[in-house]
Amino acid sequence: MNKTVSIIISWFLVALTMIIIFNFSAETATESTETSKGVVVQVLDIFMEKEEITPPVIAEYHLPIRKLAHFGIYMLLGFCMLNAFEKSFRIKLWQNSVYAVIMCSLYATTDELHQNFAEGRGPQITDVLIDSAGALLGSLIFVALLLLYQKIIFVKLSKRNRLYN
């Protein structure tokens, strides 16, 4: 794939993830609760029988699943952000990793401030911490996959060189 196209696609995925996050944060408290309850019901439907999914059960799992969703979307953002940084900037992987996590954490902070403007919602420092932890894990997964890929390529090249030498 052309390097320029690869960079554009990488940053497009970052922007798309940020837009999704922004749209969820723009929901009012009522809309956000309804959205997350819908997700909770879908998740519980995987693990429970329909008749077991009652309002008290939904209430019990609502907060943990909501926080896991925060963590997960920022894990995706961290992965995409580091991918975009790696494709765009010729600096060391660890530096790109630090910059990617910082950018995701800053976005998490502005995202929480953005919630101030949605009716019934407000910023929570715990969400910034959960989001940042998700971004960190997403970046670590990217690094692990990149290093694994490089090791596989190195092994293949080493075997090929042994065949020709």
Side-chain angles (χ1 to χ4, degrees):
M1 180 184 309
N2 180 335
K3 182 174 170 48
T4 304
V5 172
S6 179
I7 291 170
I8 291 169
I9 290 170
S10 297
W11 285 108
F12 172 77
L13 292 173
V14 169
L16 181 63
T17 307
M18 289 175 143
I19 289 167
I20 291 168
I21 292 168
F22 182 88
N23 285 332
F24 279 126
S25 294
E27 290 181 338
T28 65
T30 304
E31 292 168 335
S32 179
T33 299
E34 288 306 310
T35 299
S36 57
K37 278 185 181 178
V39 171
V40 169
V41 169
Q42 289 178 347
V43 170
L44 292 177
D45 196 39
I46 296 168
F47 300 102
M48 297 178 166
E49 298 296 323
K50 287 238 187 265
E51 58 274 359
E52 294 176 305
I53 304 172
T54 62
V57 171
I58 293 169
E60 179 183 347
Y61 288 99
H62 184 252
L63 185 64
I65 291 174
R66 188 179 181 109
K67 298 308 174 185
L68 272 173
H70 264 268
F71 186 86
I73 193 72
Y74 274 89
M75 186 171 71
L76 176 63
L77 181 61
F79 186 95
C80 292
M81 185 75 74
L82 182 51
N83 179 53
F85 270 72
E86 271 296 294
K87 290 190 182 321
S88 302
F89 306 113
R90 294 280 175 213
I91 58 177
K92 293 180 177 158
L93 177 60
W94 73 267
Q95 290 171 312
N96 275 333
S97 300
V98 169
Y99 294 143
V101 172
I102 288 171
M103 290 301 295
C104 290
S105 297
L106 288 173
Y107 189 74
T109 302
T110 61
D111 178 55
E112 287 300 311
L113 294 174
H114 167 236
Q115 288 181 26
N116 251 349
F117 300 100
E119 183 183 323
R121 296 187 68 186
Q124 293 184 337
I125 190 71
T126 54
D127 283 350
V128 174
L129 296 173
I130 290 168
D131 299 343
S132 298
L136 177 61
L137 182 60
S139 295
L140 290 173
I141 290 170
F142 180 89
V143 168
L145 291 174
L146 180 65
L147 294 175
L148 179 63
Y149 173 76
Q150 289 173 344
K151 182 171 179 127
I152 290 168
I153 295 299
F154 178 76
V155 168
K156 283 183 179 180
L157 289 174
S158 295
K159 284 181 182 179
R160 186 183 320 163
N161 286 340
R162 277 188 248 144
L163 291 174
Y164 295 113
N165 291 334

